Amino acid sequence: MAGEGVKSEMSNSRAGAGEGGTVAARSSVWESIRGCGISGMRIDKEELRRRILMPAYLRSAMASAIRAQDANAGAEAAMKDGAKGRGGGPEVDEMPEAPMVVFVNSRSGGRHGPQLKLRLQELISEEQVFDLSVTQPPQFVRYGLTCLENLANLGDDCAKAVRENLRVMVAGGDGTVGWVLGSLGELFVQKREPVPPTGIIPLGTGNDLSRSFGWGGSFPFAWRSAVKRSLLKAVSNPVQHLDSWHVTIMMQETGLDLPYSLKPLQDYDLTQDVDIQRELPESVSCFGGVFYNYLSIGMDAQVAYGFHHLRNKKPYLAQGPISNKLIYAGYGCTQGWFFTPCVKTPGLRGLKNILALYIKKVNSKEWEKIPVPSRQVYFHVLSFVRAIVLLNLDSYGGGRHPWGRPMPEYLEKRNFFEARADDRMLEIFGLKQGWHASFVMVELISAKHIAQAAAVKLELRGGQWNKAYMQMDGEPWKQSIEREYSTFVKIERVAFQSRMISGK
């Protein structure tokens, strides 16, 4: 594993290119042009509304429930209107084919966010378009959907049909989509199925979730017509599935500044599923969260941390996706990703010094230790992997494919499987330094393949390092590590899969 060289990576990448791999920047531009509607297909606005607009009394009931934060308030308002939908009376509108709600992150996409919200309200209705700065996804699930379910339980056939056929669109970046998917995932936990499938209007910088399910990698130039086209596709396109992964971090209690996606866990049994062979500190903190795209540790996370810190400190520098990418690239050149500071022992540059990697393979209950790739020069073992990424999607870093598209012969030799977003596995790969990462990102070579896993455990132990950088779906943080005690990061697949509408 550690002896594989650039030659195999080059051949592996060429095999992928032969199957349709392209440079991500070119594909992103083409996706924007294609979204302009060159095909000339004209979509009638009234026909679109007929297929997605909810009956007026149900729209009003949901809005009342969310506004009052009381599901019963919406049901009472609908009953007072005298339009329960039992007989399809004159006050009941025509039943839509695919009733739809849209969540809009009006702060994403630069100036497009607010304009897009107004356009969607014009195409559908104000009550079916939610600005995330006003109405959050958990509120919609707790009050809006519960209102529909209460009406259905009272015998309202129209409310029942709307609830069963409901579809969701999210206009935002990957973080916004993940927020909505996580909120809808509570329906699985509460056994309130069916869970509405989700489509995407990309407004973020990377938009890897959007790319993976065929919704494009950037906001289209002719966005007013493209929005109608996206809504129409969301009506009848097939539903696919997406794995998600739960992360648990166990460490010595500290005042760590963790990202929004990680929350404190109460009453977590440390010994239930992690083999603790060393002494535990007196006080232990546990945090948990979910990711849909990737989790990484190392230099890539350090660059992301620096970028986010700079953007928060000087927000006027980041005014859109293009400026964000330029700043990100420039910051990478100043963080030692390309030009490593001289140290007495070159081996200290890599992750092998602080990280132990364990995996569970598919259909296995046993943890297997996987060596962090290194190489031996004379009598010294040098760890040359400076970033390790656990990837769930086939798109990373704004449309790149670092895992590549390996040939069947290579997959069989390594005992790997074809990577998919619903394969119940994570692809684990390494990046050596900035130059290697650059070649990987433009798809001249593939990344350093390490393993495929159904569960992963990372053990971090300090030495000459007292911190490590990590990131999860674009949210970076600085993880403190101790010489005396280990920090454990455990990643397991969430039992249910998210339902995604295909944009293809």
Side-chain angles (χ1 to χ4, degrees):
M1 184 182 302
E4 295 172 4
V6 174
K7 182 177 178 181
S8 64
E9 293 171 345
M10 289 284 287
S11 62
N12 190 24
S13 179
R14 282 198 296 269
E19 297 175 19
T22 58
V23 177
R26 284 204 307 267
S27 64
S28 179
V29 172
W30 169 242
E31 286 165 354
S32 294
I33 296 174
R34 187 173 57 183
C36 294
I38 296 175
S39 61
M41 183 179 71
R42 185 172 181 83
I43 301 172
D44 182 71
K45 175 181 173 181
E46 292 306 317
E47 173 63 17
L48 178 63
R49 283 172 60 87
R50 187 186 65 79
R51 301 178 73 176
I52 64 178
L53 184 66
M54 295 182 192
Y57 81 99
L58 290 180
R59 302 198 305 267
S60 177
M62 286 181 58
S64 298
I66 295 171
R67 187 166 52 249
Q69 297 195 8
D70 181 1
N72 294 323
E76 292 170 2
M79 295 178 68
K80 286 181 181 178
D81 288 341
K84 300 186 209 176
R86 284 186 180 134
E91 296 175 335
V92 179
D93 300 333
E94 183 179 355
M95 212 18 241
E97 174 186 347
M100 192 175 299
V101 297
V102 185
F103 291 98
V104 183
N105 186 348
S106 58
R107 298 175 183 174
S108 292
R111 69 182 186 279
H112 292 304
Q115 296 177 1
L116 177 61
K117 183 183 77 170
L118 294 175
R119 175 62 171 163
L120 288 165
Q121 290 175 340
E122 173 193 337
L123 290 173
I124 314 174
S125 71
E126 290 190 14
E127 297 95 338
Q128 287 177 237
V129 178
F130 300 101
D131 188 330
L132 288 168
S133 64
V134 179
T135 302
Q136 299 182 353
Q139 296 172 331
F140 169 77
V141 171
R142 184 174 181 180
Y143 305 114
L145 288 186
T146 303
C147 173
L148 287 179
E149 292 164 357
N150 289 346
L151 287 170
N153 292 335
L154 291 172
D156 188 332
D157 294 334
C158 190
K160 180 180 180 181
V162 166
R163 174 65 183 87
E164 291 177 349
N165 297 309
L166 186 67
R167 293 196 164 203
V168 173
M169 287 291 284
V170 182
D174 287 344
T176 303
V177 178
W179 188 16
V180 173
L181 291 178
S183 300
L184 293 175
E186 290 300 310
L187 297 173
F188 284 107
V189 177
Q190 299 167 9
K191 301 188 183 305
R192 293 168 57 191
E193 300 181 55
V195 177
T198 302
I200 305 170
I201 299 174
L203 284 185
T205 302
N207 298 312
D208 289 303
L209 272 168
S210 178
R211 296 173 193 271
S212 296
F213 289 94
W215 292 101
S218 60
F219 198 59
F221 296 136
W223 62 272
R224 294 181 65 85
S225 59
V227 166
K228 286 200 296 184
R229 190 166 293 105
S230 294
L231 295 177
L232 184 64
K233 287 195 292 186
V235 169
S236 56
N237 276 20
V239 175
Q240 298 176 317
H241 293 91
L242 168 67
D243 292 330
S244 56
W245 299 83
H246 188 267
V247 178
T248 305
I249 299 178
M250 295 156 280
M251 60 188 175
Q252 184 178 14
E253 190 167 318
T254 178
L256 195 62
D257 185 17
L258 289 170
Y260 176 79
S261 55
L262 289 173
K263 307 295 183 185
L265 295 178
Q266 303 296 331
D267 302 325
Y268 187 83
D269 183 2
L270 291 176
T271 61
Q272 65 179 350
D273 47 19
V274 174
D275 184 15
I276 309 284
Q277 297 182 351
R278 295 171 175 158
E279 182 182 355
L280 288 172
E282 294 182 3
S283 56
V284 176
S285 296
C286 295
F287 299 88
V290 174
F291 72 90
Y292 297 87
N293 189 353
Y294 69 92
L295 180 142
S296 71
I297 177 173
M299 279 300 303
D300 70 318
Q302 181 174 347
V303 172
Y305 181 86
F307 166 75
H308 279 258
H309 181 74
L310 178 66
R311 186 173 64 175
N312 292 337
K313 192 174 181 180
K314 301 179 180 179
Y316 56 85
L317 293 177
Q319 294 295 322
I322 295 178
S323 61
N324 285 351
K325 290 176 181 178
L326 289 174
I327 297 170
Y328 199 99
Y331 207 89
C333 294
T334 66
Q335 293 295 297
W337 188 225
F338 287 90
F339 304 105
T340 305
C342 294
V343 293
K344 292 181 179 179
T345 306
L348 291 178
R349 301 169 183 169
L351 290 175
K352 184 180 179 67
N353 306 284
I354 63 168
L355 177 68
L357 171 65
Y358 304 85
I359 69 168
K360 283 183 181 178
K361 295 183 178 180
V362 177
N363 300 324
S364 174
K365 296 182 179 179
E366 301 297 324
W367 289 107
E368 175 184 347
K369 186 172 184 179
I370 302 296
V372 176
S374 61
R375 60 185 174 187
Q376 184 166 345
V377 178
Y378 298 109
F379 299 103
H380 300 283
V381 176
L382 305 182
S383 177
F384 63 95
V385 168
R386 302 184 65 199
I388 288 180
V389 181
L390 284 60
L391 185 63
N392 185 42
L393 303 178
D394 65 351
S395 180
Y396 168 82
R400 279 71 175 181
H401 304 281
W403 186 259
R405 296 177 176 86
M407 295 288 286
E409 295 82 4
Y410 176 83
L411 294 175
E412 183 177 0
K413 178 182 177 181
R414 294 293 304 272
N415 197 24
F416 286 164
F417 300 91
E418 182 181 356
R420 300 192 317 273
D422 62 348
D423 60 6
R424 294 176 166 81
M425 290 187 297
L426 290 168
E427 282 67 54
I428 306 174
F429 63 85
L431 300 171
K432 302 174 186 177
Q433 66 278 323
W435 307 111
H436 177 248
S438 298
F439 289 138
V440 169
M441 289 305 189
V442 297
E443 301 182 15
L444 291 177
I445 61 175
S446 60
K448 180 69 178 178
H449 293 168
I450 297 176
Q452 284 183 315
V456 181
K457 179 177 69 175
L458 307 175
E459 182 179 2
L460 300 171
R461 185 85 167 207
Q464 297 194 40
W465 295 16
N466 59 11
K467 62 180 179 296
Y469 292 88
M470 303 185 70
Q471 64 172 330
M472 189 168 77
D473 280 358
E475 288 192 86
W477 72 94
K478 188 189 298 184
Q479 177 70 51
S480 60
I481 51 179
E482 304 291 334
R483 182 189 296 268
E484 295 82 8
Y485 305 108
S486 294
T487 294
F488 291 94
V489 182
K490 188 167 182 291
I491 302 102
E492 288 186 305
R493 188 178 63 84
V494 175
F496 53 83
Q497 292 179 316
S498 298
R499 304 180 70 221
M500 305 296 297
I501 305 171
S502 171
K504 298 178 182 178

